[in-house]
Amino acid sequence: MQFMLLFSRQGKLRLQKWYVPLSDKEKKKITRELVQTVLARKPKMCSFLEWRDLKIVYKRYASLYFCCAIEDQDNELITLEIIHRYVELLDKYFGSVCELDIIFNFEKAYFILDEFLLGGEAQETSKKNVLKAIEQADLLQEVSHVG
Amino acid sequence: MSDVVEKTLTALPSLLSLDSQPGSAKLSSTSKLGNLIRGITELTSKHEEEKLIQRELTSIKDQVSSPNTSMRQMKELMVRAIYCEMLGYEASFSYIHAIKLAQQGSVLDKRVGYLAVSLFLNESHELLLLLVNTVLKDLQSTNLIEVCMALTVVSQMFPKDMIPAILPLVEDKLNHPKEIIRRKAVLALYKFYLIAPNQVQHIHNKFRKALCDKDPGVMTASLHIYLQLIKENSEGYKDLTASFVTILKQVVGGKLPMDFNYHSVPAPWLQIQLLRILSLLGKNDQSTSEIMYEVLDESLRRAEMNHNITYAILYECVKCIYTIQPKSELLEKAAKCIGNFVLSPKINLKYLGLKALTYVVQQDPKLALQHQMTIIECLDHPDLIIKRETLELLFRITNGQNVTVIVEKMLDFLRISKDDYTTIDLVGKVAELAEKYAPDNEWFIETMNTVFSLGGDMMQPDIPNSFLKLLSEGFDSDEEDRKLRLFAVDSYVSLLQSEPNKLPQRFLQVISWVLGEYSHLSAELEPATVMTLLSKLLDLKHTSSETKSWVLMAMTKLCEGGVAISVAQDIYETHSSSMDTVLRQRAQELQHLSQDSELRGRVLPRDAGLMPLEVDSSLSFLDGFVSEALAAGAAPYKPPHQRQEELAQAKALSLEPYSLSLPISMSSCSIADRQSPTLMSMSSGLSGDSTDLSHKGGSTTLKLDGVKRVWGREGYLAQREPVEETAQVEVPSPLRSPSQQAEADSTQSQTPTPTVTPELEQDKQQLASSLFVGLGSQSSVCLMGKSDPTPQRFRRKAQGRASSSGASEKTPTSLGSTPSPVDNLLCNSLLDSNLVSEPTNQTPQASQSLDTTNGNCHEELTDVKENNPSLIHNNEEPDKPKDLCLSSHLPTELSGLSHSEITPLCSNQSVNLSACHVQKEDSLQLVIFIFNSSDSALQQMQLQVDSGELKLSLITDSPVEEVRSHSVAVCHYSVTVKRPSVHVEVLGMLSYQLPGGTPQTIQFSHKLPLTTFIRPLTLSTEEYGSMWLAFSQDTKQNLTLINDDQDPLTTTLNVLKKKLQLHVVEIIGVEGIVACQLVQDQPCLMHCRVHAGTLAVWLRSPVPDLPDCLLYHCQRALQEH
């Protein structure tokens, strides 16, 4: 996977994770272009897009769009499931997640993502194990807060 | 679950005011971040937001730089800085503090610090060097969470040069008792492999260990590395096929713990990864493919549930089945799968179905026929993505008969597409089809006119280039050429007369060139008329100065006769004072040549397109001028890369604390000469050449064509073939033969068609018949095995325009694979049972023991070599004696030279193919022996070889077409390297026919190490010095020093010299310089220095990838020593 973007229906970026080195200018340009393209698509349309030499796989959950860029030979359907699994993870962690959870706790959303995908590849696909890893780190956090 | 997620969130502002919102329990709405976010939500304009964020950033900046800020506060500040950056505001001042936080914070602060670093920086950012020590420390920590964090950041980004510093620690983690650590370590190694494969190539045995890990998660992670390794060199990992198959079998059979299930499908990610690996391994390899047939069948069968995830697996399975050597039952099932996808009401599946069809359509054109009505519907689909994919599919099935309909559809799409990337791609495809299949001149010129108008100025420059080339080189018949050119001229004149201001620049350039060159062909066209039309272009507001110079060039060719000369005079007057020097020069030329028609005749001879011209590419005629300028005190010329390097050296960070293993300075001989002006002037010719070389890879620019009369025309010869092809294009027959009709009709009736009004239906059927014409006949001929001229054309095309499109590249596979399943099944049935039964017995333990026996990569390679012949050993008992007699068949010119061992390539019941090579000074001579082991003669034999990296030319005068029973035919090729790669491979296919039998094909691939192409390059230290500066591709690395006597450097270099045929130029103290070349004339220089017990080498070459490849072989050579 090359990158993952989360943005709202209003086009506000909520999360961005880049797995390929790009300049900030490039990132901004890509984000702007993609947000525009994806938001312009109608609900019944295909979840896949050909964009430059990449493929974009996106899915809308409530007011949030999850959008991944993959290479040509990658599997589009499994990428849709990666998105879905990530949403499931967020949902489990926050307890029925909503956009606000992600806005106010975006660093947590990043931690979960890093535990699930590493360097653009699925690292741990078991929901239980991902959350276990996150909770252990969180627990440490609580302890040191108290201490 | 998704219902829960998909709850409405429209009441955003009202939610914000409620602190006790469920789910927002963890919201820190009282925190500063909360305030910031709330503040932004309340704002109404972008301008206000900007002001607010700037204020926020100033406050963050003040606080982070204050010494009183605690790490805990710092963490909070970082989160806010990340938020600001996400909104698109730069907070680069905080980057260094993020690193500090990761370094100094407690575990919880560190976590945010590392996160901020991974979000702020990318792997080329120089600040990342400051993270190295932190990572080192955390990797050694006893706290698991710290180790995890360090590994996580390392797997995302790490400075390439610093990998050796942490590599041993990461390797250690592969033995860690916790699987999460092992898994992350494997992914870190994967990252290292991606950014610097050389650095980790010695630990391939560790990858094997990871593959055999008892935790399936770690094993899954290791597959990322294997996929990458196998992508690059599938030959080296064939021995793992059985293990991969076993793993997949266990996964599919549900042997993994429930944790790995996803929506009750066992480890789908793992399954897909394995399928991708298998398809790479089985490609072009019958025996390996056979190992996987059973498990593929099983996967297809198991994936039944109606869920996206099973479709994902099915799709990958289908791709794999069509990639490996075909097996008819599997193909049938896969075809059915594709059908289900295509017919699915779910749009995502439909899209993938079309994609799969596109992928397989050349192997199996009948499949497209089956679904023709669906395809027609998709052509009018409201979603452009579907439409686009359908066009891609049609592009693959285009032939001489349906080209006009398909091109029309593509042009329709182009007219509505707004996406630049799509336009560029599609325009290129239309141009390719037009060149290949144009039914007549008018159509061709008109289609190209549309291409140029729609493609505008963003299309690939090679489209106008090859179009002009095609016009100028012509075909076999002069009369046809004349007609084509004349038609182009007429069409352009009428375009210019109507609305020239709407035409894109590139098109105007093409028009001017053609008019300048060929308008004399038209009898009724006065040069003056053309001159006037052209001169109007000069007055247009949008005309670029590049176009203007094309126009002026064209006018220079045309200015003949009184009126024309006076037009030329006018033009001269307006442009002789132009600010643009090029235009001024062109105007001058126009003026002079219009006055002197005799001189014009000599400079611009008419129809001289095919005359070869001498070119002085080193610009040596300027040497006098250069030395004069230098004598007058001018600064010597420095190539751009050198300027950049000096700049970089001037402001580079000091690497001292980390430079344990990195040689930064290059103090001795070669560098000392850098500033000497005399040497520079001596080397000007050389550096000119080398830049030529390094630019060869790029596409030729449009300008080349404009000036080609002056600079000569090498390189065009290779393109001749496709041009000739266009000439032979058949005239489309409006009527189809009855048999084709019948076939098309019958398939139509099979297709389940939705209810549409009869009239509409008829339209669609008509469209279908015009789109799919020619397909039916092609496929039936293919299956019956008669020789078919159409694929032949593709084949030659593919060689002519090396890899211009994926379509033509794929053809060789499809050619060979369609007829083969039958005979393969027959001849290999014996082996089949052996191979299949073996892996089924294999348990993971078995594969583990297999892995430990060949622990490191050298053994692995030799293993493969030994294994290969043993597979065919049973029925090939007389292998050995044959070897001896084969060498007697070597061509006479090679008979005196020493040749490599004769290695078997492939065989079946009637032929044995083997090969050997002879190293000559300027090339590698490859000899392929075809031994006919059957009792009857092989007829209509044809051997085709191809390679992505190599250039092969046949030396044998006439290709052998027949081999008598039990005798040998020899094909002799001269091989040079086009593009260096660690291993280069020749793919080949032999087609033949036994008397009374059907045509058969057999495929093989032959791997040659790059070392067989390396020759010593003899030069002096001075020459070395000047070449060194001119080369732009470089690589640095440390190698092991052979430390067995007093002078390790000399010993090591001698080993390299002996094993790799390098030339040692000079050794001074602890430094040595070495040179070699890759045949033909691709130099590579190596500078070696003994440093801290290792050999620091720095390689440079004008050829991309060559330094890396050579380095790999040096490493191998020294390890083997």
Side-chain angles (χ1 to χ4, degrees):
Chain A
M1 191 184 292
Q2 305 250 330
F3 56 82
M4 187 188 230
L5 300 176
L6 259 71
F7 50 86
S8 70
R9 215 171 36 191
Q10 291 78 27
K12 284 247 186 268
L13 194 60
R14 294 300 180 211
L15 206 82
Q16 52 173 346
K17 189 83 196 179
W18 303 83
Y19 297 108
V20 281
L22 290 170
S23 70
D24 285 347
K25 216 174 123 199
E26 191 81 17
K27 285 181 191 171
K28 273 186 199 160
K29 188 163 168 265
I30 292 176
T31 312
R32 206 171 41 234
E33 257 181 63
L34 270 184
V35 168
Q36 238 174 29
T37 321
V38 170
L39 287 180
R41 291 185 58 84
K42 299 201 179 72
K44 289 280 171 216
M45 284 183 164
C46 191
S47 305
F48 316 130
L49 275 180
E50 271 160 48
W51 184 79
R52 299 199 192 169
D53 52 346
L54 295 177
K55 266 183 316 196
I56 306 298
V57 177
Y58 72 90
K59 188 156 185 194
R60 182 178 158 183
Y61 286 90
S63 57
L64 265 189
Y65 283 87
F66 290 70
C67 172
C68 296
I70 53 173
E71 276 151 65
D72 192 49
Q73 65 272 24
D74 290 338
N75 191 314
E76 291 92 342
L77 285 175
I78 198 90
T79 313
L80 266 186
E81 296 312 305
I82 284 185
I83 293 177
H84 190 72
R85 179 40 55 110
Y86 182 46
V87 174
E88 284 179 344
L89 285 168
L90 290 172
D91 194 55
K92 192 87 185 272
Y93 181 80
F94 288 108
S96 78
V97 68
C98 68
E99 190 182 342
L100 287 181
D101 294 322
I102 296 174
I103 300 175
F104 282 96
N105 299 290
F106 64 89
E107 82 273 20
K108 297 273 169 48
Y110 277 119
F111 291 143
I112 298 175
L113 185 62
D114 280 349
E115 211 52 50
F116 173 45
L117 296 178
L118 194 48
E121 307 285 352
Q123 176 198 184
E124 171 61 86
T125 52
S126 146
K127 217 180 339 188
K128 201 179 81 193
N129 290 351
V130 172
L131 292 175
K132 206 170 80 191
I134 295 289
E135 270 153 23
Q136 271 170 358
D138 280 352
L139 203 67
L140 204 78
Q141 192 152 340
E142 301 301 322
V143 169
S144 57
H145 263 294
V146 174
Chain B
M1 192 294 313
S2 52
D3 328 44
V4 190
V5 183
E6 287 174 27
K7 60 191 178 183
T8 40
L9 280 168
T10 40
L12 190 123
S14 66
L15 287 179
L16 278 167
S17 54
L18 290 172
D19 276 349
S20 58
Q21 228 275 326
S24 65
K26 298 190 199 87
L27 291 196
S28 42
S29 47
T30 49
S31 73
K32 285 179 182 155
L33 174 72
N35 285 335
L36 172 65
I37 295 171
R38 222 180 335 210
I40 293 169
T41 327
E42 282 158 6
L43 296 176
T44 45
S45 76
K46 184 81 189 158
H47 179 68
E48 282 176 320
E49 181 189 296
E50 210 161 291
K51 263 185 11 203
L52 183 79
I53 304 272
Q54 287 313 339
R55 230 181 307 134
E56 180 77 12
L57 284 175
T58 323
S59 119
I60 297 176
K61 195 171 182 175
D62 287 345
Q63 290 180 63
V64 287
S65 43
S66 144
N68 300 327
T69 310
S70 71
M71 278 300 148
R72 192 144 156 223
Q73 285 166 316
M74 193 68 105
K75 180 188 120 199
E76 202 272 321
L77 289 167
M78 274 309 133
V79 173
R80 272 151 69 198
I82 297 176
Y83 193 79
C84 293
E85 280 238 329
M86 185 158 66
L87 291 177
Y89 300 90
E90 202 206 272
S92 53
F93 63 85
S94 57
Y95 296 174
I96 185 80
H97 297 284
I99 291 179
K100 226 162 86 185
L101 185 61
Q103 198 167 17
Q104 296 167 1
S106 68
V107 183
L108 81 119
D109 306 327
K110 232 181 209 327
R111 198 177 174 206
V112 173
Y114 272 130
L115 175 69
V117 169
S118 74
L119 292 172
F120 287 153
L121 307 181
N122 66 37
E123 64 199 25
S124 46
H125 201 288
E126 50 189 20
L127 279 181
L128 209 53
L129 285 177
L130 299 177
L131 196 70
V132 175
N133 268 335
T134 315
V135 169
L136 263 176
K137 201 181 81 200
D138 284 339
L139 282 177
Q140 287 161 307
S141 161
T142 49
N143 185 335
L144 286 187
I145 302 217
E146 280 182 338
V147 179
C148 275
M149 286 193 288
L151 285 172
T152 303
V153 82
V154 162
S155 318
Q156 299 183 63
M157 59 179 72
F158 200 73
K160 195 170 154 181
D161 300 335
M162 289 300 139
I163 291 175
I166 61 160
L167 188 59
L169 285 173
V170 176
E171 278 179 59
D172 273 354
K173 297 289 177 261
L174 292 175
N175 298 323
H176 200 277
K178 278 277 187 210
E179 60 270 6
I180 183 170
I181 305 269
R182 295 204 299 277
R183 193 178 66 216
K184 281 179 196 278
V186 171
L187 284 167
L189 291 179
Y190 169 60
K191 178 71 182 176
F192 294 166
Y193 181 78
L194 288 182
I195 57 178
N198 287 324
Q199 314 259 29
V200 290
Q201 63 128 350
H202 61 283
I203 53 167
H204 282 196
N205 55 334
K206 298 267 166 76
F207 299 157
R208 289 233 172 186
K209 213 173 147 249
L211 181 64
C212 302
D213 198 283
K214 60 179 185 293
D215 179 65
V218 181
M219 184 268 292
T220 310
S222 77
L223 291 182
H224 294 306
I225 303 179
Y226 275 100
L227 179 66
Q228 206 60 34
L229 287 170
I230 291 169
K231 240 185 226 169
E232 281 153 26
N233 169 24
S234 65
E235 281 307 313
Y237 299 91
K238 298 271 180 182
D239 57 328
L240 286 177
T241 313
S243 311
F244 291 132
V245 167
T246 317
I247 298 173
L248 183 55
K249 215 171 266 177
Q250 292 181 352
V251 175
V252 174
K255 301 273 162 57
L256 285 188
M258 289 293 278
D259 270 355
F260 290 90
N261 281 10
Y262 176 83
H263 293 256
S264 60
V265 174
W269 279 272
L270 176 55
Q271 286 195 44
I272 284 175
Q273 197 75 357
L274 283 167
L275 286 168
R276 291 179 69 183
I277 289 178
L278 289 182
S279 71
L280 289 171
L281 287 170
K283 194 174 181 181
N284 295 326
D285 185 337
Q286 183 65 37
S287 56
T288 311
S289 296
E290 275 162 20
I291 306 177
M292 49 188 89
Y293 288 152
E294 194 190 324
V295 76
L296 288 176
D297 194 43
E298 174 93 13
S299 298
L300 277 183
R301 210 150 34 80
R302 292 264 184 172
E304 275 168 344
M305 208 175 62
N306 182 15
H307 188 281
N308 249 344
I309 197 75
T310 48
Y311 291 125
I313 296 172
L314 277 181
Y315 178 69
E316 208 62 46
C317 231
V318 167
K319 257 170 77 177
C320 179
I321 288 171
Y322 272 97
T323 311
I324 61 171
Q325 291 297 88
K327 179 177 160 94
S328 50
E329 298 141 50
L330 282 178
L331 285 180
E332 240 168 68
K333 287 182 187 168
K336 221 176 106 197
C337 250
I338 295 180
N340 289 341
F341 274 85
V342 173
L343 296 173
S344 166
K346 289 186 185 161
I347 189 157
N348 288 345
L349 296 186
K350 201 182 252 327
Y351 171 82
L352 287 181
L354 287 170
K355 238 185 89 172
L357 259 188
T358 312
Y359 185 71
V360 308
V361 76
Q362 276 169 336
Q363 285 181 60
D364 196 356
K366 275 217 319 218
L367 205 53
L369 273 178
Q370 267 173 34
H371 298 293
Q372 46 182 323
M373 291 319 282
T374 321
I375 295 172
I376 302 284
E377 272 156 32
C378 290
L379 259 186
D380 292 322
H381 203 280
D383 193 345
L384 286 187
I385 297 300
I386 300 280
K387 227 170 163 166
R388 173 84 181 76
E389 195 55 44
T390 316
L391 289 177
E392 193 68 39
L393 170 62
L394 291 179
F395 170 72
R396 301 285 174 96
I397 57 167
T398 310
N399 56 36
Q401 287 155 298
N402 59 15
V403 64
T404 48
V405 194
I406 289 179
V407 164
E408 193 47 50
K409 289 280 166 200
M410 290 169 96
L411 292 177
D412 282 347
F413 186 88
L414 270 173
R415 289 188 187 101
I416 51 167
S417 157
K418 286 182 199 73
D419 173 44
D420 290 355
Y421 201 87
T422 314
T423 308
I424 294 170
D425 181 57
L426 219 48
V427 154
K429 286 184 166 142
V430 173
E432 189 186 330
L433 292 180
E435 273 185 34
K436 251 195 220 170
Y437 300 114
D440 56 56
N441 290 340
E442 284 80 4
W443 184 87
F444 178 62
I445 296 293
E446 267 156 23
T447 305
M448 288 310 284
N449 284 354
T450 325
V451 164
F452 290 137
S453 313
L454 291 173
D457 293 319
M458 55 197 165
M459 72 179 154
Q460 297 292 338
D462 65 321
I463 298 174
N465 280 354
S466 63
F467 173 72
L468 293 182
K469 221 175 284 168
L470 202 139
L471 273 187
S472 64
E473 285 174 350
F475 322 123
D476 296 335
S477 137
D478 287 343
E479 183 50 28
E480 272 302 305
D481 293 350
R482 210 186 63 82
K483 275 193 198 152
L484 179 64
R485 290 167 187 163
L486 191 58
F487 190 82
V489 168
D490 288 344
S491 141
Y492 294 161
V493 167
S494 62
L495 273 176
L496 288 188
Q497 277 162 346
S498 53
E499 284 179 317
N501 51 336
K502 287 199 176 148
L503 302 175
Q505 301 299 314
R506 284 262 174 75
F507 194 14
L508 290 178
Q509 292 164 9
V510 168
I511 290 178
S512 341
W513 189 85
V514 171
L515 289 182
E517 217 43 39
Y518 299 118
S519 63
H520 66 89
L521 292 173
S522 171
E524 61 265 32
L525 207 57
E526 287 294 320
T529 326
V530 184
M531 288 280 278
T532 324
L533 279 176
L534 285 174
S535 71
K536 277 191 198 141
L537 296 181
L538 293 176
D539 302 332
L540 289 178
K541 231 194 295 166
H542 304 293
T543 313
S544 71
S545 61
E546 193 192 346
T547 309
K548 282 183 184 165
S549 73
W550 281 72
V551 171
L552 288 172
M553 289 269 293
M555 289 177 137
T556 316
K557 293 172 197 162
L558 288 169
C559 52
E560 202 172 342
V563 192
I565 291 173
S566 77
V567 176
Q569 191 60 35
D570 285 351
I571 300 290
Y572 168 69
E573 271 154 29
T574 30
H575 288 89
S576 59
S577 56
S578 164
M579 293 295 279
D580 190 320
T581 49
V582 178
L583 285 188
R584 218 152 62 212
Q585 186 190 340
R586 296 274 174 258
Q588 289 283 356
E589 285 169 8
L590 174 64
Q591 152 82 356
H592 281 284
L593 295 177
S594 68
Q595 304 296 337
D596 188 343
S597 62
E598 197 256 338
L599 178 64
R600 195 167 64 90
R602 271 196 294 138
V603 177
L604 301 165
R606 204 166 261 178
D607 284 333
L610 295 171
M611 273 195 330
L613 286 164
E614 288 284 311
V615 178
D616 182 0
S617 63
S618 67
L619 306 183
S620 63
F621 56 87
L622 287 175
D623 280 356
F625 177 77
V626 171
S627 54
E628 249 171 62
L630 286 171
Y637 174 74
K638 286 180 193 162
H641 66 85
Q642 190 195 338
R643 267 175 275 165
Q644 217 158 28
E645 188 177 279
E646 281 173 12
L647 213 66
Q649 274 181 355
K651 64 171 195 186
L653 275 176
S654 160
L655 298 171
E656 270 326 299
Y658 310 107
S659 71
L660 301 162
S661 53
L662 282 176
I664 304 294
S665 68
M666 260 275 301
S667 52
S668 82
C669 50
S670 56
I671 281 307
D673 294 328
R674 173 170 280 174
Q675 302 298 343
S676 145
T678 47
L679 195 77
M680 283 314 295
S681 70
M682 266 166 52
S683 70
S684 72
L686 253 175
S687 61
D689 272 341
S690 68
T691 38
D692 265 359
L693 256 177
S694 59
H695 287 302
K696 244 173 213 166
S699 63
T700 45
T701 62
L702 191 54
K703 271 185 188 149
L704 279 179
D705 259 75
V707 294
K708 76 174 181 191
R709 287 184 167 284
V710 192
W711 296 107
R713 23 186 311 110
E714 301 109 308
Y716 288 169
L717 288 173
Q719 296 280 347
R720 284 264 327 149
E721 233 173 4
V723 175
E724 280 159 9
E725 230 121 35
T726 331
Q728 311 160 351
V729 152
E730 64 265 65
V731 185
S733 55
L735 287 170
R736 292 173 302 144
S737 70
S739 67
Q740 283 167 6
Q741 187 106 43
E743 172 132 17
D745 287 347
S746 69
T747 39
Q748 264 169 38
S749 57
Q750 280 165 14
T751 327
T753 43
T755 46
V756 202
T757 54
E759 208 174 288
L760 208 63
E761 181 71 346
Q762 209 172 11
D763 277 359
K764 283 186 176 173
Q765 293 207 355
Q766 209 161 9
L767 182 57
S769 60
S770 51
L771 279 176
F772 297 94
V773 62
L775 260 189
S777 63
Q778 200 176 327
S779 67
S780 61
V781 169
C782 230
L783 287 172
M784 277 154 59
K786 279 183 198 146
S787 66
D788 181 12
T790 327
Q792 189 58 39
R793 166 190 352 216
F794 270 101
R795 178 76 192 171
R796 267 199 278 155
K797 193 88 186 174
Q799 283 171 346
R801 40 165 59 210
S803 73
S804 70
S805 76
S808 39
E809 277 173 303
K810 288 219 174 73
T811 335
T813 351
S814 64
L815 253 179
S817 46
T818 328
S820 54
V822 186
D823 30 272
N824 283 329
L825 271 176
L826 278 175
C827 68
N828 287 325
S829 55
L830 270 174
L831 306 173
D832 218 345
S833 54
N834 277 345
L835 285 171
V836 175
S837 63
E838 196 179 45
T840 38
N841 302 337
Q842 222 163 22
T843 55
Q845 279 81 16
S847 68
Q848 178 145 22
S849 66
L850 180 133
D851 292 320
T852 38
T853 48
N854 44 18
N856 66 40
C857 56
H858 313 297
E859 278 173 11
E860 193 182 302
L861 277 173
T862 46
D863 261 15
V864 176
K865 267 185 212 146
E866 284 160 13
N867 276 344
N868 262 345
S870 81
L871 278 180
I872 46 170
H873 200 248
N874 288 343
N875 45 357
E876 294 301 331
E877 208 46 57
D879 220 21
K880 278 277 152 59
K882 211 171 63 210
D883 242 41
L884 289 172
C885 44
L886 277 180
S887 58
S888 66
H889 288 280
L890 271 174
T892 40
E893 64 264 40
L894 299 180
S895 55
L897 304 165
S898 70
H899 62 85
S900 72
E901 193 187 339
I902 298 178
T903 47
L905 295 176
C906 61
S907 62
N908 61 18
Q909 76 273 42
S910 44
V911 280
N912 282 307
L913 292 180
S914 24
C916 75
H917 55 258
V918 174
Q919 296 190 17
K920 279 181 125 180
E921 201 170 311
D922 60 343
S923 65
L924 187 80
Q925 307 287 311
L926 176 70
V927 182
I928 297 177
F929 302 95
I930 306 165
F931 174 68
N932 179 1
S933 56
S934 72
D935 293 328
S936 41
L938 300 180
Q939 291 163 340
Q940 294 180 20
M941 199 177 69
Q942 211 174 10
L943 181 67
Q944 291 175 328
V945 287
D946 200 5
S947 166
E949 302 93 11
L950 299 173
K951 198 171 141 257
L952 294 125
S953 42
L954 187 65
I955 291 188
T956 330
D957 301 332
S958 58
V960 203
E961 281 173 350
E962 208 177 303
V963 188
R964 277 177 294 115
S965 166
H966 298 289
S967 63
V968 178
V970 172
C971 291
H972 179 189
Y973 296 90
S974 172
V975 190
T976 55
V977 180
K978 256 192 322 208
R979 191 163 50 79
S981 160
V982 173
H983 288 284
V984 290
E985 197 176 22
V986 177
L987 296 173
M989 189 182 75
L990 177 77
S991 56
Y992 62 90
Q993 197 167 357
L994 288 165
T998 52
Q1000 306 204 358
T1001 55
I1002 177 165
Q1003 298 188 347
F1004 61 87
S1005 67
H1006 183 43
K1007 187 156 281 186
L1008 296 159
L1010 196 71
T1011 42
T1012 52
F1013 293 95
I1014 294 171
R1015 306 284 179 272
L1017 177 64
T1018 321
L1019 35 69
S1020 68
T1021 308
E1022 285 73 31
E1023 285 167 333
Y1024 181 99
S1026 54
M1027 280 169 90
W1028 179 269
L1029 296 179
F1031 293 167
S1032 54
Q1033 308 287 334
D1034 70 349
T1035 301
K1036 294 177 205 173
Q1037 168 107 42
N1038 290 343
L1039 299 177
T1040 24
L1041 203 55
I1042 296 174
N1043 235 337
D1044 54 357
D1045 61 23
Q1046 284 128 350
D1047 193 353
L1049 179 64
T1050 315
T1051 324
T1052 313
L1053 291 187
N1054 280 339
V1055 169
L1056 290 177
K1057 181 182 173 182
K1058 208 177 91 207
K1059 289 204 170 172
L1060 300 176
Q1061 302 201 43
L1062 308 178
H1063 170 68
V1064 180
V1065 182
E1066 198 173 353
I1067 298 177
I1068 309 170
V1070 293
E1071 297 184 65
I1073 50 177
V1074 179
C1076 69
Q1077 60 177 328
L1078 197 63
V1079 290
Q1080 189 175 13
D1081 297 331
Q1082 307 185 56
C1084 186
L1085 305 179
M1086 186 160 119
H1087 174 268
C1088 312
R1089 194 157 73 104
V1090 180
H1091 179 88
T1094 60
L1095 184 67
V1097 295
W1098 186 358
L1099 291 112
R1100 272 197 176 186
S1101 166
V1103 187
D1105 300 334
L1106 181 53
D1108 282 315
C1109 299
L1110 191 66
L1111 189 61
Y1112 171 83
H1113 287 289
C1114 289
Q1115 235 159 350
R1116 288 291 300 271
L1118 292 177
Q1119 275 174 7
E1120 279 164 17
H1121 182 74

